[in-house]
Amino acid sequence: MTTVIEKIATQLATRKSFSPLALQRATDAIVDTIGCMLAGANDETPRAVMRAFGSDISEHGGSALVDGSKASASTAALINGTAAHCLDFDDNFHPARAHASAVLVPALLSLATADYGITGRQFVHAYLAGLEAQAAVGFGVIPSHYNRGWHGTSTVGAIGAAAGVAVLLGMGGDQIAQAMSIATSSACGPKGQFGTPAKPLHAGLAARNAVEAALLAKAGVAGRLDILERSQGFKDLFGGDAATGWDALSFGHDHIIETRGLVTKQHPCCASTHRAIDAARELQDQHGFRAEDIRSINTKVGISAMDNLTYPDPRDEMQARFSMQYCLTTALVHGRLSLGDFTPSAIFRTDIRQLMPLISMSAYTAAEEVGTERLPHRVDIHLNDGRHLKIERLHADGSIQKPLCSAQRQMKFADCLKWAGLKARSDAWQQLMDIEDATSFRSLWAEVSHSLRR
């Protein structure tokens, strides 16, 4: 009997071509993640990881690090994955409840920047394979897995990314399956770490685990191929009784990136805040009220979002990213959220702190959420002049239902480069957008890295 992992691996090994839409969306996601990774390079968390593994870092040979130095593939994936996720500006992928690209792109980069023979097209195809694998693994355990407190980025993300790395290495279906099996043994990451430096480390650990699982499988290490569905396997331990399993798993002609897509973040904070932010800003644009006109705001979100946003009075920038009160207030006071809003000094601004106590948050009940994957997030605003404004949002800006245009994507990339102290060169962005045409990804990366720093 074919196991779930074998079914997924066969799908990845046999899908040889992708639609123009799938390729374009994959390219958008890859470039967006690279921008986030570069922006995060100087954050304290990836710098601490670099200090921890300094003996593995040099200026020559090996895989490229986000700061321009080199390391082994495992260490590069760990550091770059942490950098990609540390500002919480990287994309979301609902089928896996994960920051899919923050695991996938650094894992693939660690190998592609060390091998002149890997083309840009191979990189994009491997990204799409890894994304499809993440969705397929998530199919059997989401949302119960996430609701139980597991961070899908470091669990589902690691297993799916291992498949993507295996595809990049040219491995066949049998070895892809083994890479996924081995990665299942390293899948871990509790959501209780949200708001701490360990949370972005989850993406780095998952990227490293994905690389090592694929290399181990290539060298002949083997695990059980029924490890997802068997007793004491992934579903049993990580999904619980509410997990649906994979009996209904199927693969259509269209890739998951076409049917579900990714959510490109407009705000550098937890995605659980984004729909409320977008909804409140929409009301503000429509009705022209100012922050000082607000009497109270109530937001209603999903249970998992409520669980994620545990810092009504954040004491540092990491906690602020997981605070509905801070993020929503900042967006209404200043009209937007930027990377500069998440610094030790910014989070204590008087104008922000004065409005934060006016914001409350509630969640749907478990009964209300039964049978539906997503419910809209609601915002109720009471103004001092007696007006009561209501709105709800099912999709955040940046989703495929409300996509960012090319100019918005390029602006975000430029903002990320400026935050990193790099030159915001439009030609660098365009070079990366043409990734599929690159005959050598390593050469492309070297050229782009040099242009940003010269």
Side-chain angles (χ1 to χ4, degrees):
M1 182 177 177
T2 302
T3 67
V4 174
I5 280 181
E6 289 174 307
K7 183 175 182 178
I8 297 170
T10 298
Q11 166 67 13
L12 303 184
T14 56
R15 190 191 282 274
K16 299 297 185 182
S17 62
F18 301 92
S19 72
L21 176 61
L23 294 169
Q24 183 59 58
R25 286 184 176 170
T27 299
D28 287 339
I30 291 166
V31 176
D32 180 75
T33 307
I34 289 172
C36 294
M37 189 177 76
L38 292 169
N42 295 322
D43 188 82
E44 175 55 24
T45 304
R47 301 303 299 181
V49 178
M50 292 184 75
R51 291 193 297 272
F53 294 92
S55 61
D56 192 36
I57 299 172
S58 68
E59 295 300 319
H60 307 287
S63 303
L65 291 180
V66 70
D67 70 341
S69 53
K70 305 282 186 179
S72 68
S74 293
T75 300
L78 173 65
I79 294 170
N80 291 341
T82 304
H85 191 41
C86 67
L87 302 178
D88 232 304
F89 212 6
D90 51 301
D91 62 37
N92 287 95
F93 185 51
H94 293 313
R97 289 283 181 97
H99 293 268
S101 300
V103 179
L104 258 173
V105 173
L108 298 174
L109 270 169
S110 70
L111 298 174
T113 57
D115 184 348
Y116 282 111
I118 294 176
T119 68
R121 175 166 294 187
Q122 288 173 313
F123 191 100
V124 176
H125 284 204
Y127 173 89
L128 286 166
L131 194 69
E132 189 164 34
Q134 287 194 42
V137 174
F139 180 90
V141 296
I142 297 297
S144 64
H145 174 69
Y146 191 81
N147 291 342
R148 284 166 67 91
W150 292 108
H151 189 194
T153 301
S154 50
T155 55
V156 176
I159 302 168
V165 173
V167 169
L168 187 68
L169 291 173
M171 294 158 63
D174 291 345
Q175 287 185 317
I176 295 171
Q178 288 296 348
M180 294 178 69
S181 175
I182 295 166
T184 304
S185 290
S186 63
C188 190
K191 290 201 299 172
Q193 297 283 25
F194 283 14
T196 76
K199 197 258 189 176
L201 183 63
H202 285 178
L205 292 170
R208 183 197 67 185
N209 292 340
V211 169
E212 293 181 349
L215 293 175
L216 287 166
K218 188 176 183 181
V221 177
R224 293 193 67 114
L225 296 181
D226 62 350
I227 195 60
L228 293 185
E229 69 269 32
R230 69 170 275 106
S231 173
Q232 297 186 324
F234 188 70
K235 173 180 172 288
D236 186 13
L237 298 176
F238 287 74
D241 294 338
T244 58
W246 293 270
D247 289 346
L249 175 66
S250 63
F251 298 96
H253 177 267
D254 294 333
H255 191 275
I256 194 73
I257 205 170
E258 299 173 76
T259 58
R260 297 293 301 277
L262 297 136
V263 183
T264 306
K265 282 193 173 184
Q266 285 242 80
H267 318 298
C269 53
C270 179
S272 295
T273 67
H274 286 210
R275 286 185 277 166
I277 291 169
D278 295 338
R281 285 287 298 120
E282 187 177 337
L283 284 179
Q284 191 175 41
D285 288 341
Q286 289 174 355
H287 298 277
F289 62 86
R290 298 168 299 175
E292 54 265 36
D293 299 325
I294 297 170
R295 190 173 77 209
S296 66
I297 300 176
N298 176 256
T299 61
K300 186 171 184 178
V301 300
I303 294 172
S304 63
M306 185 84 168
D307 290 341
N308 292 344
L309 304 175
T310 57
Y311 300 98
D313 183 26
R315 310 319 293 171
D316 59 45
E317 64 271 29
M318 291 299 293
Q319 292 183 4
R321 293 187 175 98
F322 295 86
S323 171
M324 177 67 83
Q325 289 76 9
Y326 178 80
C327 294
L328 184 52
T329 296
T330 303
L332 290 172
V333 170
H334 296 292
R336 59 169 295 195
L337 282 163
S338 69
L339 290 166
D341 290 313
F342 296 92
T343 65
S345 59
I347 66 168
F348 290 106
R349 289 169 292 184
T350 302
D351 56 348
I352 304 298
R353 289 286 166 167
Q354 287 177 338
L355 184 58
M356 285 170 56
L358 303 181
I359 297 176
S360 62
M361 182 172 56
S362 60
Y364 288 100
T365 66
E368 288 175 310
E369 289 197 352
V370 168
T372 181
E373 182 182 356
R374 290 167 67 78
L375 289 169
H377 285 188
R378 297 174 179 172
V379 177
D380 287 88
I381 301 179
H382 292 266
L383 301 177
N384 291 324
D385 62 10
R387 283 182 291 170
H388 179 199
L389 310 177
K390 294 183 177 183
I391 193 172
E392 62 181 36
R393 271 291 192 104
L394 184 60
H395 302 289
D397 291 347
S399 63
I400 63 171
Q401 293 81 9
K402 294 180 176 291
L404 303 187
C405 67
S406 178
Q408 289 173 306
R409 291 179 176 277
Q410 187 171 0
M411 185 179 300
K412 177 181 174 180
F413 186 78
D415 287 344
C416 286
L417 296 184
K418 289 176 183 177
W419 184 254
L422 300 173
K423 295 179 180 179
R425 300 175 62 96
S426 58
D427 57 337
W429 182 80
Q430 189 56 57
Q431 282 178 297
L432 289 171
M433 289 300 295
D434 293 333
I435 181 176
E436 200 187 350
D437 298 327
T439 56
S440 168
F441 184 91
R442 178 175 176 174
S443 297
L444 169 66
W445 183 261
E447 185 176 349
V448 170
S449 296
H450 178 70
S451 71
L452 294 177
R453 292 178 169 86
R454 68 187 178 200

